[in-house]
């Protein structure tokens, strides 16, 4: 299939050509026709599948087909809500590229930067606003943003917004919009709270589900150590003696487990911090910033907490515990090897976790090579 088959306008096709996109990804193939017909969409997909273009391209098309500026005023006709600044800015960059041959204007509204520039930008009018919830609410309250004319709402990474405690803000923002609108809802996972939200916010949605591309997994060098539970900490400390592991994200099954691993690492003078649900948002943010800046070498996380983490150029993911759900393994290791970089994923498998390893290998359709280092007494041969 080509983008031409998706009935996208010449202006968009020209932009895609300039971006060197040759053919649509599976989520784009499935979602674009649905969005173009005005239906609500529930997309189950994670970053890396091309989901941004899957919602952005039809939005650009639908909005640019309309007469955009009644009485010369540019009204906000689409709002895209995202959990993180990084994601908002990435989406802005994409939409600006896709709409470069149209008259549309897009603006990002995110926290952590001066509000003044955003106020000035909003005064010029924006067809599309891409925002994180907190700053948007501030600007709505101060009347810099009017959402009365929104026709298309996108909730991107809804599960992360839920995890990060934004859901009340999101609900408040929704009350500022017309009730009749098109809603596009994206989430990588489907916990019960997400199903509830989908039911509350979407009308007869079309569901599009994309499992992570195996190509992502193929790009990552994976290995597994068979090691007893009591030897895992020693093995981790030993592996981290290798200075080529510049930064590592370590996954544990429990919050206590995460704290224990951090203590074990700190004892041998390896800088490490835990990030999990028992910690305040502030302390999680601090741990994350410190990890991103390189001040902390190892971040230890549980799966839930890790969903809020966006780290580019992460070289190593280490599974201190194997997850019992194979998809979780793919999500975890997918945090390395981003943006075409290669990544390394190391897993520790104790005897009780052997069935998990079997399930994972079945799902990724390959056998993860076992490291058998004869000189290492900790390993089970
Ligand atoms: P996303 O999942 O939206 O974060 O997209 C992942 C990356 O793939 C981004 O860098 C996009 O610019 C790129 N991308 C999205 N769709 C396509 C496509 N059809 N062809 C080539 N690259 C794409």
């Amino acid at each position: 299939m080509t983008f031409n088959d998706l009935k996208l306008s010449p202006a968009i096709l020209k932009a895609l050509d300039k971006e060197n996109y040759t053919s649509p990804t599976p989520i784009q193939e499935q979602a674009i026709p649905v969005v173009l017909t005005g239906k609500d969409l529930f997309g189950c997909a994670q970053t890396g599948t091309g989901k941004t273009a899957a919602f952005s391209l039809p939005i650009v098309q639908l909005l640019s087909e309309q007469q955009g500026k009644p009485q010369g005023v540019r009204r906000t006709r689409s709002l895209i809500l995202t959990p993180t600044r990084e994601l908002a800015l990435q989406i802005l960059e994409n939409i600006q590229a896709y709409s470069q041959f149209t008259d549309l204007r897009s603006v990002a509204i995110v926290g952590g930067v001066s509000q003044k520039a955003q106020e000035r930008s909003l005064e010029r009018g924006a067809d599309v606003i891409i925002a994180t919830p907190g700053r948007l609410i501030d600007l709505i309250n101060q009347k810099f943003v009017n959402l009365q004319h929104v026709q298309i709402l996108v909730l991107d990474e809804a599960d992360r917004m839920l995890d990060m405690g934004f859901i009340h803000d999101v609900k408040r923002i929704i009350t500022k919009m017309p009730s009749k609108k098109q809603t596009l809802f994206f989430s990588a996972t489907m916990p019960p709270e997400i199903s509830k939200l989908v039911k509350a916010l979407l009308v007869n949605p079309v569901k599009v589900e994309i499992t992570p591309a195996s190509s992502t997994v193929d790009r990552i060098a994976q290995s597994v150590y068979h090691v007893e539970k009591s030897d895992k900490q020693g093995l981790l400390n030993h592996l981290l003696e290798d200075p080529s592991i510049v930064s590592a994200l370590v996954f544990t099954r429990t919050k206590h487990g995460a704290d224990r691993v951090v203590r074990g690492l700190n004892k041998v003078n390896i800088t490490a911090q835990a990030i999990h649900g028992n910690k305040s948002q502030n302390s999680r943010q601090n741990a994350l910033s410190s990890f991103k800046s390189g001040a902390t070498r190892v971040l230890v996380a549980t799966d839930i907490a890790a969903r809020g983490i966006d780290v580019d150029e992460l070289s190593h993911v280490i599974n201190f515990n194997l997850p019992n759900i194979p998809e979780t393994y793919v999500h975890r290791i997918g945090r390395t090897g981003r943006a075409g970089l290669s990544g390394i994923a190391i897993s520790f498998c104790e005897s009780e976790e052997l069935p998990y390893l079997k399930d994972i290998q079945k799902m990724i359709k390959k056998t993860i090579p076992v490291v058998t280092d004869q000189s290492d007494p900790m390993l089970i041969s």
Side-chain angles (χ1 to χ4, degrees):
M1 186 180 273
T2 65
F3 283 108
N4 223 341
D5 300 327
L6 291 171
K7 306 206 167 49
L8 292 170
S9 67
I12 295 178
L13 292 175
K14 191 171 156 191
L16 292 176
D17 194 45
K18 200 169 156 200
E19 294 298 302
N20 289 324
Y21 287 17
T22 47
S23 54
T25 65
I27 190 155
Q28 291 161 6
E29 268 184 38
Q30 293 179 50
I32 291 172
V34 173
V35 182
L36 285 176
T37 58
K39 291 191 183 127
D40 281 0
L41 178 86
F42 174 27
C44 212
Q46 59 176 158
T47 302
T49 52
K51 71 176 161 65
T52 311
F55 62 77
S56 304
L57 295 174
I59 289 177
V60 170
Q61 172 130 335
L62 291 170
L63 298 189
S64 60
E65 274 171 353
Q66 299 169 355
Q67 162 60 263
K69 291 184 272 187
Q71 295 105 44
V73 182
R74 209 184 270 279
R75 288 170 163 167
T76 301
R77 290 172 290 156
S78 181
L79 173 69
I80 299 166
L81 286 176
T82 81
T84 65
R85 284 174 222 161
E86 292 89 345
L87 193 57
L89 297 175
Q90 211 173 294
I91 295 172
L92 175 70
E93 205 173 286
N94 283 333
I95 294 204
Q96 285 178 334
Y98 306 148
S99 62
Q100 60 186 299
F101 301 112
T102 73
D103 176 41
L104 296 182
R105 184 161 184 272
S106 307
V107 165
I109 300 296
V110 297
V113 290
S114 146
Q115 191 181 299
K116 269 272 162 283
Q118 293 175 0
E119 289 170 12
R120 276 198 300 275
S121 191
L122 285 166
E123 273 160 8
R124 292 176 51 205
D127 301 283
V128 181
I129 292 181
I130 303 123
T132 48
R135 175 61 63 86
L136 184 65
I137 288 211
D138 291 346
L139 286 163
I140 292 173
N141 290 342
Q142 298 166 47
K143 307 266 187 284
F144 285 106
V145 175
N146 175 357
L147 300 178
Q148 296 287 326
H149 301 281
V150 168
Q151 301 165 13
I152 312 172
L153 165 69
V154 180
L155 296 171
D156 195 21
E157 309 218 346
D159 47 357
R160 280 173 63 183
M161 288 205 265
L162 206 72
D163 283 348
M164 293 166 80
F166 287 146
I167 210 61
H168 293 295
D169 286 350
V170 170
K171 285 183 176 163
R172 270 181 58 205
I173 292 167
I174 291 176
T175 65
K176 310 285 181 194
M177 279 177 242
S179 53
K180 191 174 168 295
K181 62 182 169 305
Q182 184 179 12
T183 304
L184 316 177
F185 185 108
F186 289 85
S187 179
T189 58
M190 269 279 286
E193 301 98 298
I194 287 290
S195 315
K196 247 172 68 188
L197 260 182
V198 166
K199 275 209 191 91
L201 300 178
L202 306 187
V203 181
N204 296 329
V206 175
K207 187 174 178 192
V208 171
E209 198 164 358
I210 302 294
T211 43
S214 60
S215 59
T216 321
V217 178
D218 291 343
R219 259 206 321 267
I220 299 165
Q222 301 166 64
S223 60
V224 61
Y225 286 81
H226 288 291
V227 54
E228 270 323 334
K229 198 180 188 146
S230 53
D231 289 329
K232 283 187 174 179
Q233 183 77 49
L235 178 60
L236 181 65
N237 296 358
H238 170 68
L239 289 177
L240 287 168
E241 281 167 15
D242 177 354
S244 74
I245 305 183
V246 178
S247 67
L249 180 58
V250 175
F251 283 95
T252 58
R253 193 171 52 80
T254 65
K255 299 172 199 170
H256 290 304
D259 288 331
R260 247 194 324 269
V261 168
V262 166
R263 283 196 299 272
L265 290 171
N266 289 342
K267 246 188 232 163
V268 292
N269 295 323
I270 294 170
T271 53
Q273 277 184 288
I275 185 165
H276 57 60
N278 279 6
K279 308 238 164 187
S280 67
Q281 179 73 18
N282 246 348
S283 111
R284 286 164 56 165
Q285 277 304 325
N286 289 342
L288 189 55
S289 315
S290 172
F291 183 61
K292 282 185 177 179
S293 72
T296 300
R297 187 171 165 219
V298 182
L299 195 63
V300 186
T302 54
D303 289 301
I304 297 282
R307 269 201 254 131
I309 300 177
D310 251 332
V311 190
D312 289 335
E313 298 171 29
L314 175 68
S315 64
H316 289 72
V317 166
I318 300 177
N319 293 307
F320 195 87
N321 296 111
L322 279 178
N324 58 352
I325 301 168
E327 284 85 356
T328 305
Y329 174 83
V330 177
H331 286 203
R332 285 182 183 182
I333 72 167
R335 295 178 178 282
T336 178
R338 287 253 179 108
L341 299 170
S342 57
I344 295 174
I346 301 168
S347 298
F348 295 176
C349 179
E350 61 196 65
S351 36
E352 277 159 31
E353 292 169 331
L354 281 169
Y356 304 160
L357 180 63
K358 233 171 106 187
D359 288 346
I360 290 166
Q361 298 190 133
K362 206 161 120 194
M363 186 190 151
I364 64 171
K365 297 194 181 73
K366 66 196 242 182
T367 306
I368 304 172
V370 178
V371 184
T372 45
D373 182 350
Q374 297 305 329
S375 64
D376 202 327
M378 278 180 291
L379 301 182
I380 307 166
S381 47

